[in-house]
Amino acid sequence: MDEKELIKISVRNLVEFILREGDIDNRISGGIEKDAMLQGSRIHRKIQRRMGSNYRAEVSLKIQTACEGFVLQVEGRADGIIEEEAGTTIDEIKGVLKELAHIEAPSNVHLAQAKCYAYIYAKQENLERISVQMTYCHMETEELKQFKQEFLFTDLEEWFQELVRRYEKWAKFQIEWKAKRNASIRDVEFPFEYREGQRNLVTSVYRTILRKKKLFIQAPTGVGKTMATVFPAVKAVGEGLGERIFYLTAKTITRTVAEQAFQTLKKQDLSFKVITLTAKEKICFCEEAVCNPDNCPYAKGHYDRVNDAVFDMIVNSDEMSREELERQAEKHKVCPFEMALDVSLWADAIICDYNYVFDPNAHLKRFFSEGNKGEYLFLIDEAHNLVERGREMYSAVLYKEEVLEMKKLVKSEDPGLAKRLEECNKQLLMLKRECENYQVLDSVSHIAVKLMNIMSALEEYLEIVQNEEKREQTLDFYFQVRDFLNIHDIMDENYVIYTELERDGRFKLKLLCVNPAVNLQTYLEQGNSTVFFSATLLPIHYYKKLLSVEKDDYAIYAESTFPKENRLLLLGTDVSTKYTMRSASMYDKFAQYILKVVEAKRGNYLIFFPSYRFMADVYECFQNEIQGRTDIECILQSQFMDESAREVFLETFEEERTTSLAGFCVMGGIFSEGIDLTEDRLIGAVIIGTGLPQVCNDREILRQYFDSRDMRGFDYAYLYPGMNKVLQSAGRVIRTEEDQGVIVLLDERFMGRQYREIFPREWEGYQTCRLENLNAHMEKFWEKIKN
């Protein structure tokens, strides 16, 4: 007889999924209380330690229930089991921030969790009756409030079986879909003729997944790295090496490329549910994303209807596009954003921004809550972006001025909260008096204690405040304090604490995550395997150090498939962007360089600068050079471009014209990566400067940190991030094997050994030039291309 398939679900996921009801309401308590639950592990341990010898903490429990065609395993950990002569009690602990007096009864979902544990334990121990105790603990005062109730085993069994029955159709769908999906994957083949080196890339990704390792891929644009990672990952899912693919990226355009890769595979009759998660603000049906039943009709009763909406969608269609999600949400009158998150639970691949996986405040708790272990496969596109994004996600800042502003805001209504804020302000004032520019500190635990007091007082204040504007301001400040405390909790040797007196006079306290690798690992270890890939993952040891904690990660350098003769790479050695060298004559020389490049062949060019200021100075000189000419057009990136302005900028490159076009923009900005101008839409890039970040306190702290660990601090803080911008900018020119173009790097520093060490292999054969012989190089190259 065939062994029945085993489906596993946690107690918490089961009850939260089946028993949720009511409205979406992000006004204060709901969101904050939920947040407190997630912070509660410290409190759990404290309570458990003081419960006495007859209290067993963190007891793992599981039960298997036979269903039609499969076995359902429900598992979890009971916070506590109390064995006494009078009987057995299951204890469920919840940390809360609201006053215990306001809690008149346990919430249905909390009680349901405890009842599941009670049923499993009673069945296991043959108990006729068992008690359930809900222990609510105030996070600040550690005061307890308990609710106790006794249940007959027979009643619990009936209740639990009904819960299982309601989940059964979902599990059954899961089994049937998985069988259909895996059968379809078996026949899928790589959809193109392999380019040179691409087969090796595909094999490396598959082997990495098979061995449950991490892989770093440096792959120039055009080698087909998206399909070379997606295809083997899909194959691996079909062979049981992973249950779900997360395709992570920082840019909208790369999400589109990933969607197209999956669609291409689907043309071979692949059954694979793929969803792209869209930001709440973009997919919301309302003008403003105000998520409560008074402001949004889709929030009202959302949880009463959403499971039906999700089931309808996953059963009747493989299509999970944004348009389809919106249509389904409208049909069932539910929030499209929240519904999309629920639908993602049944998807085989999720395309989304990094923060849905790694950000402690925004990650998908459905997949990445504490204790989860999914069979996930992570494909991380444009992985070079993850270093700085990781630092942002795991750093926190607190401004003295905002503490003081908050104190003034609440003073008349809540003197107690104002007093706590003033105590914190005084401590920050003491730190400010000791700080001339910036100061590195060993610890700020004394401030963290004050902030914990402030948090619980803010919670009480939010219960009473009537003014909507004040509520919004207070809520923003509350979340800022919460983030600071959460980061303070996870700080280790990868952090630097410092204070800084900013130029505008504001005083800040920052918890700076220097190396995000350990924090990223918290989430990555919940999956099976990770593939980091980018066209600019050089030097590889830098990215390995800052994105992974493992010492035995794999790395591969995918060779470029482009004919080298299609590209000219020149290094201008008679100009410099060093501050000491900047002058009107130097700006004029840069302008002449740009003019000679643009004049050599009619076409579209991008000119990249180290800053807006530098760009403005050279642009002015360039305008003087081309005054009265009609054969050269210019467009300029402005500092505060919105999405429509960006589109207009890019569309200019798509237009047919009889003139040359020079687009002036900033390195590391929106036009230096993630844009695809193929063939003659872009035939050249002039890159002015080495891209080094401006010297600032953050960068200097990074430099000192790595220097103190004998790790070439200047390279880690300035050189590698700067050269990444250069490589990204240069990568705009050659996008396909048919592309032809010139890349001109203008700064004498590019001749330095430490800069040239980072040049990709395909840059071998670069030539040096000076302004006086630039024309000869350009004419020779374009003449050769013509022939």
Side-chain angles (χ1 to χ4, degrees):
M1 189 175 121
D2 288 346
E3 196 174 315
K4 286 187 174 182
E5 177 137 10
L6 184 68
I7 296 283
K8 296 178 182 179
I9 188 168
S10 72
V11 166
R12 181 173 178 168
N13 286 351
L14 177 65
V15 299
E16 285 185 355
F17 178 59
I18 295 297
L19 300 179
R20 56 188 176 166
E21 58 189 11
D23 311 325
I24 297 174
D25 195 343
N26 67 353
R27 290 172 301 193
I28 177 55
S29 292
I32 292 179
E33 284 305 327
K34 200 172 177 186
D35 196 70
M37 306 296 171
L38 298 166
Q39 293 180 37
S41 51
R42 287 192 317 277
I43 290 291
H44 278 212
R45 290 192 290 274
K46 244 180 172 176
I47 294 168
Q48 287 161 344
R49 279 198 294 270
R50 66 188 198 209
M51 282 296 197
S53 58
N54 61 351
Y55 190 98
R56 285 192 292 140
E58 301 298 324
V59 180
S60 291
L61 294 170
K62 67 180 174 190
I63 191 168
Q64 292 188 349
T65 303
C67 300
E68 191 188 329
F70 67 95
V71 173
L72 182 68
Q73 180 168 299
V74 182
E75 55 196 359
R77 277 205 311 266
D79 291 333
I81 297 179
I82 308 162
E83 302 277 12
E84 295 171 313
E85 275 186 40
T88 302
T89 302
I90 299 293
D91 189 32
E92 182 70 16
I93 304 167
K94 298 292 177 190
V96 294
L97 290 159
K98 72 156 66 170
E99 283 299 304
L100 295 181
H102 297 312
I103 301 174
E104 292 169 4
S107 91
N108 283 343
V109 171
H110 298 163
L111 186 58
Q113 264 183 266
K115 282 169 74 175
C116 281
Y117 294 130
Y119 167 69
I120 297 169
Y121 192 70
K123 186 172 178 67
Q124 190 179 296
E125 301 297 320
N126 292 317
L127 303 176
E128 284 184 15
R129 53 187 67 235
I130 189 168
S131 295
V132 164
Q133 177 173 282
M134 287 302 310
T135 299
Y136 287 96
C137 175
H138 194 273
M139 297 280 280
E140 184 200 353
T141 63
E142 293 182 20
E143 182 190 345
L144 303 181
K145 185 168 188 176
Q146 293 173 324
F147 301 90
K148 194 170 178 179
Q149 195 175 349
E150 189 179 65
F151 292 93
L152 287 172
F153 171 74
T154 50
D155 292 341
L156 284 174
E157 185 164 48
E158 190 180 327
W159 173 85
F160 184 79
Q161 292 302 335
E162 172 60 16
L163 193 65
V164 167
R165 189 196 60 74
R166 289 173 65 183
Y167 185 71
E168 208 169 331
K169 68 174 184 179
W170 298 89
K172 207 170 176 184
F173 162 77
Q174 193 179 339
I175 291 164
E176 289 167 1
W177 171 255
K178 192 174 169 184
K180 181 183 176 187
R181 178 198 70 190
N182 291 356
S184 76
I185 292 173
R186 280 194 282 276
D187 298 328
V188 173
E189 293 180 355
F190 195 76
F192 311 115
E193 196 175 313
Y194 280 110
R195 297 175 189 173
E196 193 180 333
Q198 201 175 28
R199 187 189 295 274
N200 184 35
L201 209 53
V202 169
T203 307
S204 299
V205 172
Y206 181 81
R207 196 179 292 133
T208 300
I209 294 170
L210 183 65
R211 295 175 183 171
K212 298 191 174 184
K213 294 281 194 180
K214 292 196 189 88
L215 172 66
F216 287 80
I217 301 174
Q218 156 67 24
T221 303
V223 299
K225 56 185 178 291
T226 305
M227 185 58 81
T229 52
V230 166
F231 171 71
V234 168
K235 281 298 215 184
V237 168
E239 291 169 24
L241 301 175
E243 70 175 34
R244 184 174 284 111
I245 297 167
F246 279 92
Y247 192 103
L248 308 176
T249 175
K251 298 277 187 299
T252 306
I253 191 157
T254 36
R255 270 169 246 172
T256 308
V257 173
E259 287 167 354
Q260 286 166 353
F262 282 108
Q263 286 302 330
T264 301
L265 292 178
K266 282 187 173 190
K267 287 174 185 170
Q268 299 181 45
D269 293 327
L270 169 68
S271 295
F272 214 75
K273 293 183 187 289
V274 182
I275 188 170
T276 301
L277 295 180
T278 307
K280 184 190 287 187
E281 290 69 28
K282 289 185 178 178
I283 203 171
C284 181
F285 288 146
C286 303
E287 273 184 38
E288 207 181 337
V290 182
C291 309
N292 66 64
D294 294 343
N295 292 78
C296 173
Y298 301 94
K300 190 167 183 60
H302 166 89
Y303 292 116
D304 300 330
R305 299 184 296 273
V306 71
N307 281 6
D308 288 341
V310 172
F311 196 75
D312 180 16
M313 184 167 192
I314 62 174
V315 167
N316 295 315
S317 170
D318 293 357
E319 180 62 36
M320 291 182 170
S321 65
R322 177 173 170 179
E323 296 70 31
E324 192 60 29
L325 284 162
E326 287 175 344
R327 192 189 65 74
Q328 188 73 355
E330 185 63 72
K331 175 183 167 185
H332 288 267
K333 293 289 178 281
V334 293
C335 166
F337 176 72
E338 288 294 332
M339 191 193 88
L341 296 185
D342 284 336
V343 167
S344 71
L345 273 170
W346 310 95
D348 304 303
I350 299 171
I351 302 169
C352 60
D353 187 271
Y354 301 147
N355 65 344
Y356 284 106
V357 173
F358 299 119
D359 191 325
N361 297 320
H363 70 251
L364 299 167
K365 295 184 175 65
R366 294 157 172 79
F367 301 107
F368 302 106
S369 57
E370 203 177 318
N372 260 20
K373 176 73 176 93
E375 305 283 309
Y376 311 138
L377 305 178
F378 297 110
L379 304 181
I380 303 180
D381 197 356
E382 305 289 356
H384 61 275
N385 285 308
L386 190 52
V387 173
E388 288 303 330
R389 282 285 296 275
R391 282 192 180 129
E392 281 170 34
M393 287 188 278
Y394 303 119
S395 296
V397 68
L398 185 71
Y399 280 92
K400 177 188 175 299
E401 290 69 25
E402 288 174 9
V403 174
L404 201 55
E405 198 179 323
M406 198 67 222
K407 177 196 151 188
K408 289 173 185 168
L409 187 78
V410 303
K411 197 173 181 181
S412 59
E413 291 172 295
D414 194 334
L417 172 55
K419 184 170 179 281
R420 292 182 187 196
L421 288 159
E422 177 53 30
E423 286 169 8
C424 183
N425 180 56
K426 278 179 181 169
Q427 289 184 331
L428 290 169
L429 184 60
M430 284 170 70
L431 291 176
K432 184 178 178 180
R433 285 174 180 151
E434 294 165 9
C435 178
E436 288 179 18
N437 174 11
Y438 75 89
Q439 183 179 28
V440 175
L441 307 173
D442 290 330
S443 167
V444 284
S445 298
H446 59 302
I447 287 176
V449 169
K450 295 290 182 195
L451 290 174
M452 284 186 77
N453 294 340
I454 286 169
M455 249 176 87
S456 62
L458 282 169
E459 159 74 8
E460 289 174 40
Y461 175 70
L462 284 161
E463 294 279 353
I464 58 155
V465 65
Q466 297 298 312
N467 182 294
E468 197 53 46
E469 207 174 307
K470 274 191 181 184
R471 175 190 291 278
E472 281 300 309
Q473 208 174 326
T474 306
L475 205 49
D476 287 346
F477 182 73
Y478 171 89
F479 287 126
Q480 200 181 326
V481 171
R482 175 206 67 176
D483 294 349
F484 191 92
L485 285 171
N486 284 349
I487 296 298
H488 185 266
D489 266 0
I490 61 170
M491 277 198 316
D492 56 16
E493 69 278 5
N494 296 297
Y495 277 80
V496 174
I497 308 169
Y498 73 96
T499 54
E500 180 180 12
L501 198 55
E502 294 185 341
R503 284 181 184 173
D504 60 4
R506 278 157 54 90
F507 179 72
K508 78 175 177 194
L509 169 60
K510 184 162 185 177
L511 312 178
L512 173 65
C513 178
V514 178
N515 183 351
V518 171
N519 290 326
L520 294 170
Q521 180 65 16
T522 305
Y523 299 98
L524 293 178
E525 67 191 7
Q526 294 183 49
N528 279 0
S529 181
T530 303
V531 179
F532 299 96
F533 54 105
S534 168
T536 57
L537 218 51
L538 296 173
I540 210 98
H541 70 81
Y542 167 73
Y543 291 101
K544 277 185 162 187
K545 181 71 186 171
L546 297 182
L547 296 178
S548 174
V549 297
E550 313 291 348
K551 295 285 182 277
D552 59 349
D553 294 330
Y554 302 151
I556 187 170
Y557 197 120
E559 298 294 338
S560 173
T561 56
F562 300 126
K564 286 182 180 172
E565 59 274 14
N566 280 8
R567 184 197 57 225
L568 173 67
L569 180 63
L570 291 173
L571 272 58
T573 59
D574 55 344
V575 280
S576 175
T577 57
K578 283 181 180 173
Y579 281 98
T580 52
M581 303 284 283
R582 294 184 184 186
S583 63
S585 62
M586 185 60 80
Y587 296 142
D588 192 53
K589 202 167 187 179
F590 279 119
Q592 289 175 52
Y593 255 108
I594 296 164
L595 182 59
K596 284 178 185 289
V597 171
V598 172
E599 279 179 329
K601 180 176 167 65
R602 182 170 58 80
N604 297 341
Y605 298 84
L606 278 172
I607 323 297
F608 292 99
F609 292 86
S611 67
Y612 284 99
R613 177 73 258 170
F614 202 108
M615 178 171 73
D617 289 333
V618 175
Y619 183 74
E620 191 179 332
C621 294
F622 188 72
Q623 288 299 312
N624 293 334
E625 292 281 347
I626 63 167
Q627 203 167 5
R629 292 180 62 162
T630 56
D631 60 331
I632 298 172
E633 286 180 58
C634 277
I635 51 173
L636 192 70
Q637 176 186 352
S638 68
Q639 202 159 352
F640 305 105
M641 272 183 162
D642 60 18
E643 209 160 312
S644 60
R646 290 178 214 172
E647 282 170 16
V648 169
F649 187 99
L650 286 175
E651 280 164 10
T652 315
F653 283 82
E654 301 290 348
E655 293 166 11
E656 296 297 332
R657 59 169 49 76
T658 55
T659 60
S660 279
L661 174 69
F664 282 60
C665 48
V666 174
M667 239 187 289
I670 48 178
F671 301 118
S672 62
E673 62 175 294
I675 63 167
D676 235 353
L677 296 169
T678 56
E679 297 173 14
D680 59 354
R681 296 303 172 204
L682 187 69
I683 63 166
V686 179
I687 298 161
I688 294 173
T690 55
L692 301 189
Q694 284 192 320
V695 174
C696 63
N697 291 339
D698 258 21
R699 288 282 147 193
E700 283 301 287
I701 287 164
L702 290 178
R703 183 179 63 76
Q704 290 161 15
Y705 173 92
F706 288 112
D707 272 343
S708 70
R709 285 156 175 77
D710 298 321
M711 285 167 64
R712 293 166 66 169
F714 174 79
D715 294 1
Y716 271 73
Y718 294 99
L719 180 62
Y720 299 152
M723 281 301 288
N724 190 279
K725 290 181 193 173
V726 171
L727 298 177
Q728 280 293 329
S729 302
R732 297 313 96 210
V733 179
I734 304 289
R735 309 297 293 172
T736 71
E737 289 182 30
E738 288 73 44
D739 287 3
Q740 301 161 343
V742 298
I743 298 166
V744 184
L745 307 181
L746 296 181
D747 198 309
E748 59 176 4
R749 284 179 285 184
F750 284 119
M751 290 304 295
R753 179 185 52 80
Q754 73 268 44
Y755 291 91
R756 283 183 292 113
E757 277 177 353
I758 306 169
F759 283 10
R761 289 177 196 170
E762 55 271 21
W763 281 16
E764 286 170 10
Y766 65 82
Q767 301 171 50
T768 59
C769 69
R770 300 175 66 80
L771 186 59
E772 58 265 24
N773 63 17
L774 176 64
N775 274 348
H777 283 286
M778 301 291 291
E779 284 169 15
K780 184 180 174 185
F781 172 72
W782 288 121
E783 191 60 38
K784 187 177 72 178
I785 289 291
K786 196 162 66 177
N787 297 329

